[in-house]
């Protein structure tokens, strides 16, 4: 019997957060959590932005403006705030870069988007790693839920053994 749907339903039910707790979480994060960028993070963002801006100018695509940089910083801080962290970590920046880059690529002409996607492929791998981790977790949950039935040998006849 296939139990994948049962696993999905159980996982969805256990992942639900009561609305009043979610409201308290959001209010707490807004009021008390103010993530800060470190110098290392600023350098990583600056390098990415400069590379993206240069590539958009040379490839003839839609230009990259400073508002893209500001949006990138806000997304990284929001991701850190969502996890209740005081400092922005590399994974926060990676998620923000991935989201901005995917959005930017989708607004380009097809030929330009293929070129940019190829050149910035290393920045988009975050989603693939997360997908791989989620797939492993799902496989683990399915294996835990599957019940193995004992094999019945009553329908088999065993050969008679003669001793000499």
């Amino acid at each position: 019997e296939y139990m994948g749907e049962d696993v999905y339903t159980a996982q969805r039910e256990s992942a639900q957060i009561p609305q009043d707790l979610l409201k308290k979480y959001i209010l707490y994060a807004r009021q008390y959590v103010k993530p800060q960028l470190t110098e290392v993070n600023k350098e990583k963002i600056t390098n990415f932005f400069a590379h993206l801006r240069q590539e958009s100018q040379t490839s003839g695509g839609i230009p990259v403006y400073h508002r893209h940089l500001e949006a990138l910083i806000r997304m990284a801080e929001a991701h850190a705030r969502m996890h209740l962290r005081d400092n922005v970590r590399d994974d926060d920046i990676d998620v923000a870069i991935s989201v901005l880059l995917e959005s930017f690529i989708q607004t380009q002409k097809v030929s330009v988007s293929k070129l940019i996607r190829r050149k910035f492929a290393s920045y988009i791998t975050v989603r693939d790693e997360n997908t791989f981790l989620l797939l492993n977790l799902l496989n683990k949950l399915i294996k835990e839920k599957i019940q193995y039935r004992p094999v019945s040998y009553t329908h088999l006849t065993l050969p008679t053994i003669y001793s000499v």
Side-chain angles (χ1 to χ4, degrees):
E1 176 181 308
Y2 176 71
M3 298 187 65
E5 189 172 320
D6 294 338
V7 171
Y8 175 74
T9 304
Q11 183 181 11
R12 198 174 89 226
E13 288 175 2
S14 67
Q16 290 180 351
I17 299 172
Q19 190 172 8
D20 58 331
L21 179 62
L22 182 61
K23 284 180 183 179
K24 289 177 184 178
Y25 183 88
I26 292 170
L27 289 172
Y28 177 84
R30 282 184 181 167
Q31 188 172 4
Y32 296 109
V33 182
K34 307 291 182 203
Q36 300 296 315
L37 285 171
T38 63
E39 289 302 317
V40 174
N41 294 341
K42 289 178 185 177
E43 184 178 329
K44 183 176 184 176
I45 290 172
T46 304
N47 291 338
F48 167 76
F49 181 73
H51 188 198
L52 182 62
R53 189 169 181 150
Q54 178 186 14
E55 191 58 44
S56 73
Q57 288 173 350
T58 58
S59 65
I62 296 172
V64 177
Y65 297 108
H66 291 289
R67 66 177 179 218
H68 292 101
L69 176 61
E70 294 165 358
L72 181 65
I73 293 169
R74 284 194 310 274
M75 284 191 289
E77 289 173 345
H79 192 265
R81 185 176 296 115
M82 185 173 68
H83 292 278
L84 303 177
R85 292 193 284 260
D86 293 327
N87 294 314
V88 176
R89 297 188 330 195
D90 279 346
D91 60 328
D92 300 321
I93 293 172
D94 291 342
V95 168
I97 286 173
S98 180
V99 169
L100 180 84
L101 190 57
E102 189 63 39
S103 174
F104 180 72
I105 288 172
Q106 289 179 7
T107 62
Q108 303 295 318
K109 298 175 189 172
V110 175
S111 60
V112 175
S113 68
K114 287 180 182 180
L115 176 69
I116 293 175
R117 187 176 297 278
R118 222 175 307 120
K119 288 190 176 184
F120 288 90
S122 62
Y123 292 105
I124 303 175
T125 59
V126 173
R127 183 182 310 132
D128 294 338
E129 291 171 6
N130 288 339
T131 303
F132 180 73
L133 290 172
L134 289 173
L135 181 62
N136 282 337
L137 286 172
L138 183 60
N139 283 334
K140 184 178 177 182
L141 286 171
I142 289 173
K143 286 178 183 178
E144 288 174 0
K145 292 289 182 177
I146 292 177
Q147 297 175 358
Y148 295 101
R149 296 182 201 164
V151 178
S152 173
Y153 294 107
T154 57
H155 65 282
L156 296 176
T157 57
L158 298 174
T160 309
I161 301 177
Y162 297 99
S163 58
V164 181

